[in-house]
Structure formats: structure tokens, C-alpha cells
């Protein structure tokens, strides 16, 4: 069924086309760039779902093709993320010290330099010490940097080929960054491992390390560190990391691991104690304020920060 409804005119939000994204659609609530803004997800039948728990990890398990939920379109600055602690886990904007969070532009970068998002049904367990990095997980689904040429839209669900991974150590936590490419990209067939990125998009992997190293410096934080000296690990390593985080997610949803404040409400994980009805899901969405016109993005978000690399 075509579950996509046209975006209300005042919303300014682009809706991703149904066919291209396996029938998932999104529904905006409150004003974009406000504290109340939420982007809820629906399946092909128009039922509300959690993008964290109800979208399958695999688009094609045999070919190691994964689903990716796009949180931040390339070149934008608003730090949008799956709200892991909210029922139904809508996308919302991160808040720090009561203010909406925008990532700074650290010269020569503008906003995020890839489509940025997460692989559903994965969880970096903060109680699990990673054998490779010696640090515990960051309590979120695993992050993905999608390097295709199309700028995706917020809330789009795309199928990606995994190519490798970078291990960021963010304030003492392991924060894996999966490098992947949209299978719909015209050049996707040419990318099969991390070495192909180095060859076909020279400078991009170096820019990626630079971006993650420095993006918090304008906020007064030190440069981020990396495991493995900032070297990228290959496709096989990355797929293995994703599979581990999928196992942690399964334990979370089966209540074998205490997720603390993580909201595990879902509609499709049948043996999960957190499974809820569509009525209950609809009530959650109905409780959110209606969608209104987007708030303006503060002008300082366009500022460019220049500083010497160490």
C-alpha cells in the first residue's frame, strides 16, 4: 500500500518516496529545529513503528546489505538522531545544555560530509568492553557514514553495502563509524572494500578522520582519539562489528541486558517483552504536537571555524 502522504504544505519537510525506501514513510510533529520536533516512522501499511527496533538490520543478509536510517543529510548541521530513550524512538534534534545542537563547520568542511545515520537493530552496549578497542559502547545504534553521491533526506531508509569502519574513541567510549555506500548509487558496483574508497574517492577517508577528530573543538572540547591509530578496518571486520552489535541489541530486547533508560517499545519483535499494540503506538504519536512551519536555523550555524591542525 502507498503509505506516503504528501507533506503538509506548512511543514517544509520533504517526504522520501515510497518505492525507493521499501515502503517506509515518515510523519513530522512540531516545528523542525525546535525542542519538540519529532519525526515518526511508519511501515508500508501505514502502521507506526520504531526505526531502532522494527526496521530489519538486513536488506539482504546473503549479500551483507544492511538497512540504514538517514538521520543527517549531507552538508547539513542539525545533529539529528534516533531518540533511543523516547517511545517509538522518533528522530529528534540533540540537545546540549538546553540548546539545540548543530555541528560546527570546521574548515574546509560544511556540516556533515556524508549522509549520516544508523543501522537499525544494533546497539553499542555500554556494559560491554570491546576486545579491539578496550572501551565500552556508546549506548546507541551503530553509526554509518554513507558516501554515495545522492544527498538523502532525513528519515529516509536506504540499503547500503558496508565497506569498512573507523573506531572513534569519543570521551572514553567506543563509537564505531561504519563506511558504506547506497546500493542505488550508480557506482555502487565498483565499491567492495575500504581500498576502493581510497582509490575512487581520494582524500575522502582522510577528510573523514579529520572531521571526526576536530568536530567538537569549536565547542571547547579536545580533539577526539581513535583506536588503531585512525586506520580504517576492512569490510569483513566492519560486518563482524555490526553483527556483534546486533547480538547486543537482541539481548537488550529480550531483557537479558538491562538497557537503563533505553526505550525498547516495539511492534514487530514478537518474543520481546516490550512489544506493544498499534493503538498504543498511535497514542504516542497523537500525543505529540502537530507539525508546524520550521523554525529558522540560527545564523551562527553558518560560521566557519579555522584552526591549525596539530
Amino acid at each position: 500500500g502507498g503509505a506516503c502522504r504528501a507533506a503538509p504544505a506548512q511543514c517544509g519537510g520533504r517526504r522520501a518516496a515510497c518505492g525507493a525506501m521499501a515502503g517506509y514513510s515518515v510523519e513530522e510533529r512540531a516545528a523542525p529545529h525546535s525542542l519538540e520536533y519529532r519525526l515518526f516512522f511508519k511501515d508500508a501499511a501505514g502502521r507506526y513503528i520504531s526505526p531502532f527496533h522494527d526496521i530489519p538490520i538486513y536488506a539482504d543478509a546473503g549479500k551483507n546489505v544492511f538497512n540504514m536510517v538517514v538521520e543527517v543529510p549531507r552538508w547539513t548541521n542539525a545533529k539529528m538522531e534516533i531518540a533511543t530513550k523516547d517511545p517509538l524512538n522518533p528522530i529528534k534534534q540533540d540537545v546540549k545544555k538546553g540548546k539545540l545542537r548543530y555541528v560546527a563547520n570546521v574548515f574546509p568542511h560544511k556540516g556533515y560530509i556524508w549522509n549520516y545515520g544508523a543501522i537499525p537493530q544494533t546497539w553499542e552496549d555500554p556494559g560491554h568492553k570491546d576486545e579491539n578497542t578496550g572501551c565500552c559502547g556508546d549506548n546507541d545504534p551503530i553509526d554509518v557514514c554513507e558516501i554515495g553521491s545522492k544527498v538523502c533526506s532525513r528519515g529516509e531508509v536506504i540499503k547500503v553495502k558496508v565497506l569498512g569502519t573507523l573506531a572513534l574513541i569519543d570521551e572514553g567510549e567506543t563509537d564505531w563509524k561504519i563506511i558504506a555506500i547506497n546500493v542505488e548509487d550508480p557506482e555502487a558496483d565498483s565499491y567492495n572494500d575500504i581500498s576502493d574508497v581510497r582509490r575512487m574517492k581520494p582524500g575522502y577517508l582522510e577528510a573523514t578522520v579529520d572531521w571526526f577528530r576536530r568536530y567538537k573543538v569549536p565547542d571547547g572540547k579536545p580533539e577526539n582519539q581513535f583506536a588503531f591509530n585512525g586506520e580504517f578496518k576492512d569490510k569483513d571486520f566492519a560486518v563482524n562489528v555490526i553483527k556483534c552489535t546486533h547480538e547486543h541489541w537482541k539481548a537488550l530486547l529480550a531483557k537479558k541486558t538491562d538497557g537503563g533508560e533505553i526505550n525498547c517499545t516495539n511492534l514487530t519483535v514478537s518474543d520481546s517483552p516490550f512489544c506493544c499494540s498499534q493503538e498504543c503506538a498511535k497514542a504516542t504519536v497523537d500525543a505529540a504536537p502537530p507539525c508546524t512551519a520550521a523554525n529558522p536555523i540560527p545564523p551562527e550555524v553558518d560560521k566557519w571555524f579555522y584552526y591549525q591542525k596539530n
Side-chain angles (χ1 to χ4, degrees):
C4 290
R5 294 210 305 271
Q10 79 275 18
C11 262
R14 288 182 302 160
R15 286 296 180 284
C18 264
M21 48 186 288
Y24 295 106
S25 61
V26 286
E27 184 175 311
E28 292 186 297
R29 290 294 177 129
H33 311 122
S34 74
L35 292 165
E36 297 74 33
Y37 177 78
R38 297 290 185 274
L39 188 66
F40 289 96
F41 283 71
K42 295 171 167 177
D43 67 9
R47 292 178 298 237
Y48 293 110
I49 56 164
S50 156
F52 185 3
H53 307 307
D54 293 317
I55 295 174
I57 174 174
Y58 290 110
D60 183 339
K63 293 185 178 154
N64 276 326
V65 174
F66 295 86
N67 282 315
M68 170 186 174
V69 176
V70 177
E71 296 165 315
V72 186
R74 191 165 76 232
W75 311 138
T76 63
N77 300 74
K79 177 95 178 80
M80 309 302 298
E81 54 188 27
I82 289 172
T84 56
K85 295 168 184 174
D86 287 15
L88 294 186
N89 316 111
I91 288 179
K92 70 175 177 75
Q93 191 165 349
D94 191 21
V95 177
K96 279 272 156 41
K97 297 180 182 163
K99 287 182 69 173
L100 292 170
R101 192 164 157 215
Y102 294 89
V103 303
N105 304 303
V106 179
F107 183 82
H109 309 305
K110 166 66 181 100
Y112 285 71
I113 62 171
W114 344 257
N115 295 300
Y116 189 73
I119 296 180
Q121 298 189 337
T122 63
W123 180 53
E124 296 200 53
D125 182 353
H128 171 81
K129 185 178 270 200
D130 188 279
E131 64 202 36
N132 296 293
T133 65
C135 297
C136 292
D138 73 347
N139 207 25
D140 280 325
I142 201 162
D143 297 319
V144 189
C145 302
E146 190 279 317
I147 64 166
S149 52
K150 177 188 156 197
V151 177
C152 292
S153 34
R154 181 188 305 155
E156 210 173 330
V157 179
I158 61 173
K159 301 178 169 111
V160 298
K161 256 167 100 164
V162 168
L163 303 171
T165 187
L166 179 67
L168 177 66
I169 306 297
D170 190 352
E171 298 175 27
E173 297 171 331
T174 305
D175 192 2
W176 292 103
K177 306 298 179 189
I178 300 292
I179 308 299
I181 190 163
N182 191 339
V183 296
E184 308 271 311
D185 190 90
E187 295 186 323
D189 289 348
S190 304
Y191 289 86
N192 297 297
D193 214 322
I194 199 73
S195 54
D196 298 321
V197 185
R198 199 164 271 118
R199 182 170 51 85
M200 309 250 310
K201 293 186 190 273
Y204 203 4
L205 293 179
E206 292 78 1
T208 294
V209 173
D210 183 59
W211 195 98
F212 281 117
R213 191 186 303 286
R214 305 195 295 150
Y215 80 108
K216 288 188 175 177
V217 171
D219 304 331
K221 297 253 176 81
E223 290 190 350
N224 274 320
Q225 303 300 308
F226 302 90
F228 320 116
N229 285 330
E231 290 294 313
F232 287 82
K233 294 291 187 182
D234 66 8
K235 175 189 185 128
D236 291 344
F237 188 102
V239 167
N240 193 46
V241 168
I242 297 167
K243 287 179 175 171
C244 288
T245 61
H246 183 49
E247 293 305 314
H248 293 152
W249 170 82
K250 281 187 194 164
L252 174 72
L253 270 271
K255 252 188 172 162
K256 288 178 180 153
T257 307
D258 176 18
E261 292 177 47
I262 298 265
N263 194 300
C264 298
T265 301
N266 68 83
L267 291 101
T268 62
V269 188
S270 52
D271 52 355
S272 163
F274 304 101
C275 211
C276 86
S277 68
Q278 187 53 215
E279 290 71 37
C280 131
K282 188 174 182 311
T284 298
V285 180
D286 288 344
C291 176
T292 57
N295 289 344
I297 292 176
E300 62 267 22
V301 171
D302 284 329
K303 187 178 169 186
W304 236 348
F305 290 86
Y306 300 83
Y307 76 93
Q308 204 66 46
K309 295 185 201 182
N310 294 344

